[in-house]
Amino acid sequence: MKIRILGVPLDLGQERRGVDMGPSAVRAAGLNAALRELGHQVEDSGNIHVKLAEEQHYGDRRAKYLKEIAETCRELAERVYHTLELGFFPLSLGGDHSIAVGTLAGVSKFYRHRGQTIGCLWIDAHADMNTPESSPSGNVHGMPFAAALGFGPEVLTNVFGDSPKVQAKNAVLIGARDLDAGERQQVRESGVHVFTMRDIDEQGMRAVMEKSIELATRGTGGFAVSLDMDVVDPDEAPGVGTPVPGGITFREAHLAMEIIADSKKMVSLEIVEVNPILDTHNRTAALAVGLASSALGKKIL
Ligand SMILES: [Mn+2]
């Protein structure tokens, strides 16, 4: 497979600074070499330029830095689209989760131009389903899943063209365990499929992934994977933007990625919210590299 890495050092979508160093931390943990070892052709196209928080005012308190985030997402969307056109598999590195709007915009437009839709696996401790009206913080990294599904400010939902990027019937939230009050209602009304931590505990990761992939591939050209590292338990992944106890284990995370690889239906991958400031010895970035490898074909035997 030909893989192109796109770094997006964006941290405007959240309060706690540090995820802007995520792409660097994941590269330092050996991403490129690990993927080459699997036999892939790997091309790193570097980072997208992102403005610093210090360079500007946050604007609307209910959706801070919205304009700048939308601009970054548009640029990422163009690059992702171009990457697919050239026959490369896009691997985006965040940055905070608001970059998902850009990745999904690029992938969905590419498939739309070929008469197809895409599914999405949103693997996350949170639902990221807020809108400026429901968000308690005004941080845009809590809004990208809503935006991809067509809810929220137009400047975000319409990045790089049509909305929604993904239809709710093909969108699956996996690993959720921390939702805001207003967000719960939005999740229910949106029609997305949700497998919470309780579902994973009760049914097991294998069953959850098989059901999720079935939903995400039903009538689509494949599915995008948006992996927020905070889905993994903070014991294993302490270096994330917003840690929440009670997450999936190291092995559950790998199993999920291995099942994704087996499906051969993943059309893009993004790994977000790695925060080296909160990490110990870059282990969360190292885990990110391991999970990317599993999703892209690494097997134990
Ligand atoms: Mn997230």
Side-chain angles (χ1 to χ4, degrees):
M1 198 191 252
K2 296 196 296 181
I3 299 168
R4 181 182 272 183
I5 296 166
L6 303 146
V8 195
L10 176 80
D11 74 345
L12 298 173
Q14 62 149 38
E15 225 66 73
R16 187 179 275 154
R17 305 293 301 276
V19 293
D20 55 320
M21 291 176 262
S24 178
V26 174
R27 287 189 181 104
L31 176 67
N32 303 39
L35 298 180
R36 279 200 189 100
E37 250 170 56
L38 295 174
H40 298 302
Q41 183 187 329
V42 182
E43 188 187 293
D44 196 321
S45 69
N47 287 348
I48 288 178
H49 178 75
V50 180
K51 276 193 196 159
L52 301 178
E54 285 81 357
E55 289 181 272
Q56 58 209 319
H57 188 267
Y58 59 74
D60 187 347
R61 191 177 293 279
R62 299 172 315 150
K64 296 172 193 160
Y65 303 105
L66 179 61
K67 190 172 142 275
E68 293 76 18
I69 289 168
E71 276 167 18
T72 302
C73 286
R74 188 193 154 79
E75 187 176 344
L76 174 59
E78 276 173 15
R79 291 215 198 179
V80 165
Y81 184 90
H82 190 57
T83 296
L84 287 163
E85 259 191 333
L86 293 173
F88 280 79
F89 176 92
L91 171 50
S92 318
L93 303 177
D96 71 58
H97 214 159
S98 50
I99 73 160
V101 175
T103 303
L104 290 171
V107 178
S108 71
K109 184 181 266 194
F110 177 84
Y111 279 88
R112 195 181 314 119
H113 285 173
R114 281 147 191 82
Q116 291 180 301
T117 59
I118 57 163
C120 176
L121 303 185
W122 195 277
I123 309 176
D124 200 322
H126 308 88
D128 296 349
M129 196 76 95
N130 273 302
T131 60
E133 291 69 39
S134 73
S135 171
S137 65
N139 293 332
V140 174
H141 80 151
M143 307 179 190
F145 199 21
L149 292 159
F151 305 102
E154 251 178 49
V155 63
L156 215 52
T157 57
N158 286 347
V159 164
F160 203 45
D162 305 334
S163 176
K165 314 302 182 198
V166 184
Q167 293 181 342
K169 63 179 182 179
N170 300 120
V172 191
L173 172 61
I174 301 165
R177 57 188 184 275
D178 185 19
L179 279 73
D180 299 316
E183 209 181 9
R184 284 205 179 91
Q185 195 184 343
Q186 180 69 34
V187 169
R188 287 199 201 97
E189 287 173 6
S190 71
V192 295
H193 310 275
V194 186
F195 293 102
T196 64
M197 279 312 302
R198 176 175 176 168
D199 295 315
I200 295 171
D201 291 341
E202 290 184 340
Q203 302 175 35
M205 186 56 97
R206 179 182 168 165
V208 164
M209 290 309 294
E210 283 174 352
K211 287 176 195 171
S212 299
I213 288 170
E214 205 277 309
L215 292 162
T217 54
R218 199 180 283 172
T220 70
F223 57 85
V225 174
S226 193
L227 175 63
D228 189 321
M229 287 300 291
D230 72 20
V231 74
V232 181
D233 194 273
D235 279 349
E236 302 284 357
V240 295
T242 319
V244 189
I248 66 174
T249 66
F250 181 94
R251 264 313 306 164
E252 283 171 332
H254 273 282
L255 177 61
M257 296 301 124
E258 287 160 346
I259 293 171
I260 284 170
D262 289 348
S263 78
K264 297 185 165 56
K265 289 287 165 67
M266 176 172 65
V267 294
S268 67
L269 174 62
E270 71 186 341
I271 301 183
V272 300
E273 299 278 351
V274 171
N275 186 337
I277 287 180
L278 301 178
D279 210 0
T280 47
H281 301 290
N282 214 27
R283 64 187 290 214
T284 305
L287 177 58
V289 171
L291 295 178
S293 300
S294 286
L296 291 161
K298 187 172 186 187
K299 292 189 166 76
I300 292 171
L301 191 65

